[in-house]
Amino acid sequence: MAEYKLNTPLTDADMEPLRAGDVVFLSGTIYSARDAAHKKLVELLDSGRELPFELEGSAIYYVGPSPAPPGRPIGSAGPTTSYRMDSYAPRLHSLGMKASIGKGKRSDEVKEAMKKYTGVYFGATGGAGALLSNSIVESKVIAFEELGPEAVRAMKVKDFPLLVINDCHGGELYVKPKLDTAV
């Protein structure tokens, strides 16, 4: 297991050395988007309109943060279950998204897209939303404000702690060991 410090926007050169199980401390701007926001993003693409942020090199965090307490840029910001975005993720990878951040397993289609387009799936620790929010230093709604907590936010992060779950070489941290062959 290796540790990396990366900055957005992410590149193929950033993604290629990463392996499942590596730790990454990510800094820069990431974007929040959950189910409803992904549906609207794809509707924009289908209608030929621009997205509210640049996809090339982007990282999308599957999060719906709680309201910000006084003096803080954001409230608790824990990951949501990623498979809800699996029908959208391959298209976003094909258009330049380099990373998604969430919890839980990904579909075979998403794993293939990460291999084809040099992308990575990062896991953020579920149940640690308050702790994760300490790495978010700025947060601003940039689209779909009507979605409330599911609005798209540009979030500036500093050393946001992540674990590589799926790398661009087909490696997956969730693969079970073959215990029947272990002696």
Side-chain angles (χ1 to χ4, degrees):
M1 174 177 76
E3 285 188 11
Y4 295 88
K5 284 191 172 236
L6 297 177
N7 293 290
T8 62
L10 299 166
T11 65
D12 286 356
D14 292 326
M15 302 292 93
E16 287 168 351
L18 301 178
R19 298 291 185 272
D22 287 346
V23 173
V24 170
F25 295 95
L26 185 63
S27 296
T29 300
I30 63 174
Y31 301 96
S32 69
R34 289 185 47 155
D35 324 34
H38 272 75
K39 183 173 188 261
K40 287 182 170 269
L41 291 172
V42 169
E43 287 171 354
L44 287 176
L45 290 171
D46 289 344
S47 66
R49 297 191 322 218
E50 289 188 22
L51 296 184
F53 60 92
E54 177 62 49
L55 265 180
E56 187 66 41
S58 66
I60 297 179
Y61 185 21
Y62 304 147
V63 62
S66 62
R72 300 278 320 224
I74 200 164
S76 182
T80 195
T81 305
S82 300
Y83 78 82
R84 295 178 189 160
M85 275 56 72
D86 279 2
S87 61
Y88 308 108
R91 185 170 183 189
L92 298 179
H93 275 294
S94 77
L95 296 171
M97 178 181 78
K98 285 293 164 200
S100 57
I101 304 166
K103 65 179 183 183
K105 294 187 76 155
R106 305 309 302 263
S107 70
D108 289 341
E109 291 78 17
V110 175
K111 293 175 201 172
E112 284 303 313
M114 286 185 276
K115 289 192 318 191
K116 184 172 182 180
Y117 302 108
T118 319
V120 168
Y121 170 51
F122 292 122
T125 304
L131 183 63
L132 290 168
S133 72
N134 288 330
S135 295
I136 301 171
V137 296
E138 288 180 31
S139 176
K140 178 182 178 186
V141 172
I142 60 169
F144 316 136
E145 189 167 357
E146 69 277 12
L147 297 178
E150 293 197 35
V152 174
R153 289 173 170 73
M155 300 185 298
K156 188 176 279 186
V157 295
K158 177 157 180 47
D159 294 330
F160 195 70
L162 301 166
L163 188 61
V164 177
I165 304 299
N166 294 96
D167 61 41
C168 64
H169 309 284
E172 180 175 355
L173 187 63
Y174 292 149
V175 173
K176 294 180 181 177
K178 295 184 176 189
L179 297 177
D180 57 330
T181 59
V183 179

